[in-house]
Every structure is written in C-alpha cells, then in structure tokens.
C-alpha cells in the first residue's frame, strides 16, 4: 500500500511564480502505479506529477506562489487522495476495470439520453407519438354536453353559451388544421390554448358554484339523487378540463412533443423514466393525460406521473384541491341528507 512517508521531509522550490512541493512516498511504487496516478491526475485536473527513482518516489505538486492557506491545503489533499485511488486501480486488473467503467457509463447514458426529434418518415412509418383524433373528439363532445346537463344556475348566462364557444373553437381548429403536412400552424396552437382556457374557466366556475351551494344550501343539495348527479357532473368536467390543460402545456404541446421533444419533460411518465418499458419514440398522448387527470382527482396526489416543472406542480395542486373539496363536501352532504 502506497502513502506519504511521514518519516521523511518534503522538499520545496520556487520557479516561474510556482511553489513546487515534492512529497516523499512510502511503499512499493511500480511503473504501472505511476502511469495510473498520472492518468488520474489528468482526469481530475489536479496539478501533480509522480516521479520515481530506484530507491525513492515522490508526488510533485505545483501551486501558485500567491495561493492562500486554504487553496494550498486543498491542492495537497487532492494530490494525496489520488494515491489511494491509484492503489485501488492497481489492485484490479486494468482491462476488467476499464470494461466495468465503460459499461457503467453506457448504462447511465441509456437512462439519461434525451429524446431525439423523430423524422417525418419515422412518424409516417411507425405512427408512434401521433395523436388519435377519436379520444380528443370524444372528450370534447363530453365537455360540451356536461354544461348543458347541469342546472342553468351553474352558468353565468344561458347554459348553451359556453358549449357554443367550445364548438366554434373546435370548428376553427379543424379548419386551420385541415390539409396540414408536418407541423401544425401557429393558429392551431393559439386556438387550442383558447379552447382549453374556456374549459378551465368553466370548470372553475361550476366548481365554485357547487361549493357555495353545498356550504350555503342550494336547490340540488336537498335531494340526494340531484346532489350526486350534479356533483358527479362537475367532478367529471374538472377532470376533462385539467386533462386538456396538461395535454396542451406539457412539453410545449402535442406538436412540439412529437417533432422536437424537450430534453427534460415537464411531466415524467413511467415510459420516459424507464425507456425499456416503451417502444422507441414513445410520446404521451391525450389518453395518458386523461388518465393523469383521473388519478390526480381520485388520489389527490401524483401516482405514476411525476410533475417536474413548477407549473405542473401548481396545476396538479389546484386540481387535487378542487377534487377534494367537491368529493368531500358532496359525500358529507349526501350522508347528511340520507340520515
């Protein structure tokens, strides 16, 4: 085992504004050990060299002449720490050690490699990551129908106003998206954000109306059937609204996720955290965000999808809070009526 020799003294010299410290070593120092120590010094950028004669070996540390006590001590400590690392490397077969290091590096890269953009040819050939229209259409139709089924007092105006706005925006998105090849135009992105903003605003309105009725007493709170049907409608509407919100904001939207996915996702799905469980080029689609909205509304916390961006944490917090208030108050009121 190699270490500094406490029985010998260090040698000091000055040249070109550098103080050169020769620290004597004790123990066997082979040529392989010296070469290993030099490689470690270059890799860690520690200003030290190893020198040897048949009867003596040193580590030679160079520090600027104007260094303070802390800097000099840190450099010498780093040079000494490399001695133990060189010893450990010398005890293992160099080929096996290098192979192990290379395999560890590759394993880390496989996990942390960013999702690369996929070409149009790959999208057309595999279909991976492309959005299916029927889940989006089905969810939007349901979001348009639910406000029509709620009591009219849950709307600021006529109950058909918000569904009509949603329908107009949906038609505008379909018209702007017609015949596109490749990326969607910016107008589609703007119209999609406007549609989601209407959904979220309406969800906030009906949730507030229901909570006020539950606290103060509203017409639907006196009948358990009416209460449960209205409460379920409001709860389901909030799930749809937040699912569309996640879908349109995560990674810059569905178009950006497909053609130029961000290096670091805003919402981390299991398929992104562990690429082994998903096919190459996997991208989250609307059903994945609908599942996220449902689980967050029932568990009141993240389940398998982890929020990484601050906006995602804030939105999931708001949804969990609203869902907890809706379910908690509706169930409590229903139990009270039944008693």
């Amino acid at each position: 085992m190699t270490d500094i020799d406490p029985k010998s003294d260090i040698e000091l010299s000055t040249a070109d504004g550098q103080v050169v410290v020769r620290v004597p070593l004790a123990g066997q120092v082979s040529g392989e050990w010296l070469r290993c120590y030099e490689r470690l010094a270059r890799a860690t950028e520690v200003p030290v060299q190893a020198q040897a004669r048949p009867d003596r070996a040193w580590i030679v540390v160079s520090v600027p002449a104007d260094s303070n006590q802390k800097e000099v001590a840190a450099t010498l400590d780093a040079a000494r720490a490399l001695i133990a690392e060189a010893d450990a490397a010398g005890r293992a077969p160099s080929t096996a050690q290098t192979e192990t290091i290379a395999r560890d590096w590759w394993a880390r890269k496989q996990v942390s490699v960013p999702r690369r953009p996929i070409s149009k040819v790959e999208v057309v050939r595999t279909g991976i990551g492309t959005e299916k229209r029927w889940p989006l259409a089905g969810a939007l139709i349901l979001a348009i129908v639910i406000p029509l089924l709620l009591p009219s007092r849950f709307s600021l105006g006529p109950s058909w106003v918000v569904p009509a706005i949603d329908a107009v925006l949906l038609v505008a998105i379909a018209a702007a998206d017609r015949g596109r090849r490749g990326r969607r135009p910016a107008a589609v992105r703007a119209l999609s954000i406007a549609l989601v903003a209407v959904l979220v605003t309406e969800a906030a309105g009906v949730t507030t109306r229901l909570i006020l009725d539950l606290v103060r007493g509203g017409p639907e709170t006196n009948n358990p059937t009416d209460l449960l049907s209205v409460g379920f409608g409001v709860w389901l509407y909030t799930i749809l609204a937040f699912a569309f919100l996640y879908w349109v904001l995560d990674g810059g939207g569905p178009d950006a996720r497909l053609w130029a996915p961000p290096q670091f996702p805003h919402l981390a799905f299991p398929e992104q955290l562990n690429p082994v469980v998903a096919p190459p080029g996997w991208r989250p689609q609307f059903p994945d965000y609908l599942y996220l909205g449902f689980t967050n509304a029932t568990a009141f916390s993240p389940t398998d999808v982890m929020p990484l961006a601050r906006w995602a944490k804030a939105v999931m917090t708001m949804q969990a809070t609203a869902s907890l208030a809706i379910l908690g108050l509706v169930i409590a009121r229903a139990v009270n009526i039944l008693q």
Side-chain angles (χ1 to χ4, degrees):
M1 181 176 180
T2 310
D3 201 352
I4 62 174
D5 187 355
K7 298 180 181 179
S8 302
D9 200 3
I10 62 174
E11 301 175 17
L12 301 173
S13 61
T14 304
D16 299 328
Q18 296 283 323
V19 174
V20 180
V21 185
R22 288 166 59 90
V23 181
L25 298 177
Q28 283 191 336
V29 178
S30 64
E32 179 61 29
W33 189 95
L34 291 172
R35 287 189 291 272
C36 181
Y37 187 90
E38 294 279 1
R39 288 196 300 269
L40 291 171
R42 287 193 298 270
T44 55
E45 298 183 352
V46 178
V48 59
Q49 294 179 335
Q51 296 179 353
R53 291 195 314 220
D55 60 336
R56 173 64 70 183
W58 298 265
I59 55 172
V60 183
V61 186
S62 298
V63 293
D66 58 352
S67 300
N68 57 36
Q69 179 180 358
K70 185 177 180 179
E71 293 170 336
V72 173
T75 303
L76 291 172
D77 287 340
R80 183 179 182 182
L82 292 179
I83 297 175
E85 293 190 34
D87 264 3
R91 287 194 294 270
S94 57
T95 302
Q97 182 192 30
T98 304
E99 289 179 354
T100 300
I101 294 171
R103 291 184 184 279
D104 290 344
W105 176 86
W106 178 243
R108 291 194 301 271
K109 289 299 180 182
Q110 282 183 307
V111 174
S112 62
V113 64
R115 297 276 179 174
R116 65 177 179 84
I118 57 178
S119 67
K120 296 179 182 179
V121 175
E122 288 177 297
V123 172
V124 174
R125 180 175 61 83
T126 65
I128 294 176
T130 54
E131 290 284 349
K132 306 298 185 295
R133 296 181 182 273
W134 68 265
L136 289 166
L140 279 172
I141 292 173
L142 188 58
I144 291 173
V145 170
I146 289 176
L148 297 174
L149 300 178
L150 293 176
S152 58
R153 57 196 306 275
F154 276 70
S155 179
L156 295 177
S159 58
W160 56 265
V161 171
V162 172
I165 295 175
D166 292 338
V168 169
L169 288 172
L170 181 58
V171 171
I173 291 172
D177 197 36
R178 177 190 294 181
R180 68 177 179 87
R181 295 184 182 275
R183 299 193 178 196
R184 289 183 172 91
V188 174
R189 171 72 174 167
L191 290 170
S192 299
I193 292 176
L195 176 59
V196 172
V198 172
L199 292 174
V200 173
T201 302
E202 176 71 358
V206 296
T207 300
T208 302
R209 178 74 270 171
L210 177 62
I211 292 174
L212 290 176
D213 282 359
L214 289 169
V215 173
R216 299 175 180 175
E220 74 280 359
T221 62
N222 297 319
N223 184 289
T225 302
D226 292 341
L227 175 61
L228 292 176
S229 62
V230 171
F232 177 76
V234 171
W235 182 70
L236 180 59
Y237 191 85
T238 60
I239 291 177
L240 294 171
F242 277 98
F244 276 105
L245 186 60
Y246 299 133
W247 176 75
V248 81
L249 292 184
D250 182 31
D255 202 46
R257 289 193 300 270
L258 178 61
W259 300 106
Q263 182 178 6
F264 302 105
H266 298 161
L267 291 164
F269 289 81
E271 294 85 350
Q272 294 167 317
L273 297 176
N274 186 3
V276 176
V277 303
W282 184 91
R283 304 287 186 272
Q285 300 178 27
F286 180 74
D288 300 296
Y289 295 99
L290 185 60
Y291 173 77
L292 167 61
F294 176 79
T295 55
N296 194 51
T298 52
F300 314 124
S301 64
T303 53
D304 61 337
V305 182
M306 295 295 105
L308 303 182
R310 291 189 176 92
W311 72 260
K313 296 177 182 179
V315 171
M316 291 185 72
T317 300
M318 288 188 291
Q319 185 194 7
T321 303
S323 182
L324 179 62
I326 293 171
L327 294 180
L329 291 174
V330 167
I331 293 173
R333 181 63 178 171
V335 171
N336 186 52
I337 294 174
L338 294 172
Q339 289 179 344

